[in-house]
Amino acid sequence: MRSMTDKDFLELLEANGKAEKEREERMLLDDRLRLFLSQCSSRGARYSPGKSMLPNHAQLAKYCGCDLSTIGRIEQGRTTKPPLATVATLSALAGIFPAAPEHAFYAEQKARIADADRWLGKAPETRGELHDALIDGILKRRDTASLN
């Protein structure tokens, strides 16, 4: 059995530091996602496209194709392995990833929610994946903004 050299020890410390930083970044993402979900009302008035700033939990569940309880568990941090597609969709809607530009964060967030509403209004057999529709909308808005 070989003993650990100083170089091996430093490499191990560096690897552990990278892993810790990645865990912190994931925690921040989780915290940001839970904040978005808490801002979305889970009770009260029915979501109305174009009139409500943020969709309620029932509307988010429709976008994600999951149970309402899944959205609640993600918000409360009670699920350790939420479906990746659900997290990706919620992150896009929240403006977390892909990141919405800081100077137009709320306008971009509202546009993404409008994209999701339009997607939901299409026939299920022809509409494709929501995440693809969101990315398409984001890219179109970025192209338009770069032309101006």
Side-chain angles (χ1 to χ4, degrees), residues 47 50 52-55 63 92-95 100-101 104-119 130 133-142:
Y47 174 71
S52 304
M53 175 59 183
L54 294 174
Y63 296 150
L93 290 170
F105 181 83
Y106 293 109
E108 176 62 23
Q109 190 179 54
K110 190 172 185 174
R112 291 178 187 192
I113 292 166
D115 289 342
D117 288 332
R118 281 190 295 280
W119 172 85
L130 173 58
L134 291 173
I135 297 299
D136 186 49
I138 291 166
L139 293 174
K140 285 178 182 174
R141 284 186 293 281
R142 284 186 182 169

Side-chain angles (χ1 to χ4, degrees), residues 38-136:
S38 71
Q39 291 170 342
C40 294
S41 63
S42 59
R43 295 189 182 92
R46 185 174 167 270
Y47 174 71
S48 180
K51 298 196 188 316
S52 304
M53 175 59 183
L54 294 174
N56 59 24
H57 285 195
Q59 189 69 15
L60 290 172
K62 287 179 187 177
Y63 296 150
C64 296
C66 66
D67 293 334
L68 179 61
S69 62
T70 300
I71 304 296
R73 284 193 312 275
I74 293 171
E75 176 192 4
Q76 296 164 2
R78 292 187 311 164
T79 182
T80 56
K81 294 183 182 176
L84 185 57
T86 300
V87 172
T89 298
L90 293 173
S91 295
L93 290 170
I96 297 169
F97 186 81
E102 191 174 333
H103 67 279
F105 181 83
Y106 293 109
E108 176 62 23
Q109 190 179 54
K110 190 172 185 174
R112 291 178 187 192
I113 292 166
D115 289 342
D117 288 332
R118 281 190 295 280
W119 172 85
L120 196 58
K122 294 179 182 176
E125 55 277 351
T126 61
R127 67 182 176 204
E129 296 292 321
L130 173 58
H131 198 261
D132 294 337
L134 291 173
I135 297 299
D136 186 49

